Amino acid sequence: MAGRLQPVLAGVVTALVGFASSFTVVLAGLRAVGADPRQAASGLLALCVASGACAVWLGLRHRLPLAIAWSTPGAALLVATGPVPGGWPAAVGAFLLAGLLIVAAGLIPALGRAVAAIPGPIASAMLAGVLLPLCTAPVRALVEVPRLAGPVVLVWLLLHRFARRWAVPGALAVAVLAIALTTSGPARLDAAPVVALTAPAWTLPAVVGLALPLFLVTMAAQNVPGVAVLAGYGYRAPLGSALRVTGLATALGAPAGGHAVNLAAITAALAAGPDAHPDPDRRWIASVTAGIGLALLGLGAGVATALVLLSPPVLVEAVAGLALLGALAGAVTAAVAQPDAREAAVVTFVVTASGVSLLGVGGAFWGLVAGCLMLLLFRRRAVVSAPVEPPRTESAPSLPSRTG
């Protein structure tokens, strides 16, 4: 019994931590690109159910701890992008296209290799630029609503020091308590589960400025690290199968408001590590349990959205920012790790973080373009400026080597 209970408990913890640590990021992202409260609640529910179904299917099929989650960096990208031409229907169309691109990456290995060919520092710098605006929210919250944000940040600091995995859920619990103590009005949203379907629309700015960056961020910041986490615990992830399943789930969930489903990166270790079960062949039970738990937690999406609506927006963003600080640190570290690509990465970071919009296309796309052009320019300049040695002839005597 104990051997069966351990992975089940690990799966419950994985679901709770995954949901509580980043659902505020999802809601903030969906609202930023035009969703109303009802549509945002529907999107969160769709993501929970789609992620849970994928985790159960892949875990039972492959007998591997394939934890599935929504794209938290993708949700941060939505916040950074903001409203797109065409409104919420165009955002839904971008979600659908991103899902189809993920399916294509699972069917066409060359497409996956093309994504992997994007220089790592540039991709990491784009992710860091996307995350930066949200990660500054705790600072703004401490200035704007210090009585609410102060306890949240303090609890996060203490738990981050002594029980790291519970830092963000603990901060969220304090935020909920603060909202309950300072709010007297009723919630403005029905707490019952809701599915609000939206017919997708497509506009060129939404396709270029949201769909393509969402696909790239999800692949580079979620699926690739997810495979790496599993490899670290001795598992060889069936990437093609995972991409096809999660991409299809993303496309099916898009009309309900779900933006992207993918391999888990942050919570993957909770289901794949030895804490889930001493026997690696039994840890798949944890990921399947996590999928069931996440789907059940999705039934509370209406409650979560109602709670967010009762709080000051900056407080919700502050909790989301605390959840993303670790991801920002990792992205910045990877972006500047290679000296020869450092300046190009900084250009990518600055352009992306600026939030500029040109021709209706957001900063994430232009940051990627600017960084790649900068990298290409510097590499070509290095080739041109490299000294060319004159050809040697047989009559030219060679200089003796100096030995000392």
Side-chain angles (χ1 to χ4, degrees):
M1 176 64 70
R4 297 177 182 177
L5 183 61
Q6 184 175 355
V8 170
L9 291 177
V12 171
V13 171
T14 301
L16 288 173
V17 171
F19 182 88
S21 64
S22 58
F23 83 87
T24 54
V25 188
V26 171
L27 292 177
L30 296 178
R31 295 299 305 276
V33 293
D36 61 28
R38 182 180 175 86
Q39 291 165 338
S42 173
L44 182 58
L45 172 61
L47 290 169
C48 289
V49 173
S51 299
C54 290
V56 172
W57 170 259
L58 290 170
L60 291 175
R61 180 183 179 186
H62 298 287
R63 291 297 197 269
L64 293 173
L66 298 171
I68 305 297
W70 54 63
S71 176
T72 301
L77 171 68
L78 304 186
V79 176
T81 302
V84 295
W88 175 242
V92 170
F95 302 163
L96 176 58
L97 179 57
L100 295 178
L101 287 173
I102 295 172
V103 173
L107 293 173
I108 308 171
L111 180 57
R113 289 194 296 269
V115 174
I118 296 175
I122 302 300
S124 297
M126 182 184 71
L127 176 60
V130 165
L131 297 177
L132 181 63
L134 264 179
C135 289
T136 61
V139 181
R140 291 185 280 111
L142 286 172
V143 175
E144 297 178 21
V145 286
R147 290 193 301 171
L148 296 178
V152 171
V153 174
L154 179 61
V155 168
W156 179 83
L157 286 170
L158 292 174
L159 289 177
H160 196 267
R161 170 63 179 83
F162 297 105
R164 179 168 296 189
R165 74 172 58 171
W166 296 106
V168 174
L172 177 64
V174 174
V176 171
L177 180 62
I179 295 167
L181 293 176
T182 57
T183 303
S184 57
R188 291 174 287 173
L189 181 70
D190 187 358
V194 58
V195 176
L197 298 178
T198 301
W202 288 274
T203 64
L204 183 60
V207 169
V208 177
L210 184 56
L212 293 179
L214 179 59
F215 166 66
L216 294 175
V217 165
T218 299
M219 290 291 293
Q222 290 281 168
N223 287 322
V224 174
V227 171
V229 170
L230 289 170
Y233 289 105
Y235 299 102
R236 183 177 180 180
L239 182 58
S241 175
L243 292 178
R244 292 190 294 271
V245 171
T246 57
L248 180 60
T250 297
L252 292 176
H259 68 284
V261 174
N262 43 246
L263 286 171
I266 299 172
T267 57
L270 298 178
D275 289 341
H277 199 281
D279 183 1
D281 292 333
R282 302 288 292 172
R283 294 174 192 169
W284 63 270
I285 299 174
S287 65
V288 170
T289 304
I292 296 172
L294 189 59
L296 293 176
L297 287 170
L299 299 177
V303 176
T305 308
L307 178 68
V308 166
L309 290 175
L310 291 174
S311 65
V314 71
L315 184 63
V316 177
E317 292 181 4
V319 177
L322 292 173
L324 294 172
L325 282 176
L328 176 62
V332 171
T333 300
V336 299
Q338 299 181 19
D340 59 342
R342 192 166 293 161
E343 289 182 334
V346 170
V347 168
T348 302
F349 171 75
V350 170
V351 174
T352 303
S354 70
V356 297
S357 179
L358 180 62
L359 303 177
V361 178
F365 174 78
W366 296 118
L368 186 65
V369 170
C372 289
L373 290 177
M374 185 81 169
L375 192 61
L376 180 62
L377 173 65
F378 271 67
R379 285 183 175 175
R380 292 188 68 177
R381 190 180 71 177
V383 171
V384 171
S385 60
V388 179
E389 296 184 1
R392 294 193 176 202
T393 62
E394 294 183 359
S395 59
S398 59
L399 294 175
S401 62
R402 300 179 63 179
T403 59

